[in-house]
Amino acid sequence: MSQPYVLYGMPVSMFAGKARAHLRKRRVPFVERLISHPRFVGDVAPAIGRLIIPVLETPEGELIQDTADILRHVEWTFPGEVSIYPSTPRHSVIARIFELFGDEGMIRAAMHYRWNYPDQNMGFLRAAFAAGIAPGADAADAEAVAGGVMAKLQTYLPALGLSPQTIPAVEAGYEALLDALNRHFQRSPYLLGGVPCVGDFGLIAAFHAHLARDPYPADQMKTRAYFVWRWVERMISADADMPEFPDTAEAYAADDQLAPTLGPVLEAVGRIYGAELMAQVAGLDAWLADHPDLAAGEPLQSADREKRPRGTVSFDLSGTQMTTALRAFSVFKLQAVTDDFDGLTAADQATVTAALDPFGLAPWLTLKAGRRIARVDNREVWGDPSS
């Protein structure tokens, strides 16, 4: 290998953290570059077609943008003794559910705990964003360097349904999840046993960059959920980092078994994200009904703004009415769950459905929009209407 991989990202980035954790676990030789790096500004971002991170550049110069694609590439190129994609039916589908939830279902809590506690977080965030955007900038210039980017990110909060009226429900859901995860990680080093699955990497996106680094949620995690904090440390370490579990093999739980402590975690996932996911699929279908002539291969982010999926969806979050932006990308991410389920035998499908039904997750297994979304050249595009 003539040169290492290059990960373009920032320490404050959710999804750069997901990719970084996997690169470390697979012992991939890589260097990380910030978005201010001349190659990213001059070559990488224009080639991708948008200013977005993370991007992984291979030694051959291939650019890979989405974390799901990054993880697949790394897993195929640097296979470990145990794949992050489990081969047994229950583990396989549950790993995909956790990746979906981590990627999409945790965004609201991550953004809330970052931006809605300014007294505790803002000094740290100002310095962190400034260092990521213009490393070496004088501390006195941090506001000038980072203020615009930080202000823009905060404008996304209403689109995520965050308001004074909805914050109590968001926090209650997160705290229940945190408590359930804490009980689970006290008994198990990772979600499905002694190795991280793709679902662990999905969760680490929000749980590291936002919830374990930003001052307010980091303090909350350390004092309320120590074993979640230890899992975060474990996930960002290159080795297994599980001395608390000397008798646990670096393997998934035998015979496709699920730890009893995983049930409450799955139940919390369903309560937090189930209604929203169904609303997103219904919302996209309603939008598609008004746009029947979309050509296969046309980008979702079309140059014609009228052809971009947009609007709002509403749903109930633990008794609180939520309204968020329509997110076609969430529906695209759901396809990994349903594709995995569709690939099982009928008997295995019945086993998985029975395992997930008590936690309200069985409907996710067959939840599909009327139009498939594909990904070509690092962009989401509409699939064939007949597929």
Side-chain angles (χ1 to χ4, degrees):
M1 188 177 295
S2 59
Q3 60 184 14
Y5 281 74
V6 180
L7 178 68
Y8 295 96
M10 293 172 65
V12 295
S13 162
M14 277 183 63
F15 295 106
K18 176 184 174 183
R20 185 187 306 114
H22 187 234
L23 289 164
R24 286 176 177 170
K25 287 294 187 191
R26 285 292 175 257
R27 307 295 178 95
V28 177
F30 79 100
V31 295
E32 187 164 352
R33 303 294 187 209
L34 297 171
I35 60 173
S36 57
H37 192 274
R39 174 150 176 76
F40 182 79
V41 175
D43 300 304
V44 173
I48 294 293
R50 47 187 168 165
L51 187 64
I52 189 171
I53 53 175
V55 178
L56 184 69
E57 183 173 16
T58 73
E60 296 74 31
E62 179 186 1
L63 300 175
I64 309 170
Q65 190 278 304
D66 185 65
T67 55
D69 293 343
I70 291 171
L71 267 60
R72 277 194 296 268
H73 172 86
V74 170
E75 199 69 7
W76 292 334
T77 310
F78 297 87
E81 291 187 13
V82 182
S83 173
I84 66 171
Y85 305 108
S87 59
T88 53
R90 291 195 295 185
H91 284 175
S92 180
V93 173
I94 287 171
R96 292 294 190 178
I97 285 174
F98 274 114
E99 184 185 28
L100 166 65
F101 176 70
D103 282 356
E104 294 294 300
M106 283 299 299
I107 290 176
R108 180 164 41 250
M111 291 290 280
H112 162 62
Y113 282 104
R114 169 163 286 181
W115 299 114
N116 285 332
Y117 285 91
D119 292 346
Q120 297 90 339
N121 292 344
M122 203 54 68
F124 171 83
L125 292 172
R126 191 176 296 111
F129 273 90
I133 296 167
D138 189 279
D141 298 328
E143 179 62 34
V145 170
V149 173
M150 293 169 65
K152 181 178 180 180
L153 289 170
Q154 292 173 74
T155 66
Y156 298 149
L157 299 184
L160 294 170
L162 286 164
S163 70
Q165 292 72 38
T166 62
I167 284 173
V170 172
E171 292 198 343
Y174 172 67
E175 289 169 2
L177 174 67
L178 194 63
D179 292 345
L181 283 170
N182 194 53
R183 290 188 291 271
H184 179 67
F185 290 132
Q186 186 176 8
R187 299 284 184 264
S188 177
Y190 298 102
L191 287 171
L192 298 176
V195 288
C197 67
V198 68
D200 289 275
F201 290 104
L203 284 186
I204 200 61
F207 272 85
H208 178 231
H210 288 233
L211 300 171
R213 291 183 81 248
D214 295 351
Y216 179 83
D219 182 67
Q220 178 189 37
M221 184 184 296
K222 290 175 183 178
T223 56
R224 181 175 184 135
Y226 169 79
F227 297 104
V228 178
W229 167 252
R230 275 294 293 133
W231 168 81
V232 170
E233 290 189 313
R234 192 172 296 128
M235 284 297 297
I236 63 176
S237 172
D239 63 10
D241 189 17
M242 51 185 198
E244 301 96 328
F245 304 94
D247 299 322
T248 299
E250 292 187 32
Y252 294 119
D255 301 322
D256 206 23
Q257 292 299 305
L258 306 178
T261 51
L262 194 64
V265 179
L266 291 168
E267 186 176 4
V269 167
R271 282 200 307 269
I272 290 171
Y273 195 47
E276 178 177 3
L277 191 58
M278 292 180 188
Q280 291 291 350
V281 171
L284 183 61
D285 278 346
W287 185 88
L288 285 167
D290 293 331
H291 299 79
D293 299 324
L294 296 167
E298 184 170 352
L300 270 66
Q301 293 300 309
S302 170
D304 181 352
R305 296 185 66 86
E306 292 301 315
K307 292 185 177 181
R308 297 183 184 183
R310 57 182 180 176
T312 60
V313 301
S314 296
F315 54 94
D316 183 278
L317 177 63
S318 300
T320 296
Q321 187 71 8
M322 304 283 294
T323 299
T324 71
L326 174 65
R327 289 180 57 84
F329 192 71
S330 297
V331 181
F332 167 66
K333 287 287 188 178
L334 171 64
Q335 291 175 174
V337 176
T338 56
D339 286 352
D340 198 86
F341 183 75
D342 287 348
L344 300 176
T345 66
D348 284 343
Q349 286 184 344
T351 297
V352 172
T353 301
L356 294 178
D357 187 57
F359 312 116
L361 296 175
W364 295 26
L365 304 175
T366 54
L367 183 61
K368 301 177 183 180
R371 184 78 180 264
R372 190 169 175 86
I373 300 171
R375 189 167 170 84
V376 178
D377 295 331
N378 294 308
R379 302 299 292 267
E380 292 77 45
V381 301
W382 294 112
D384 189 323
S386 62
S387 63

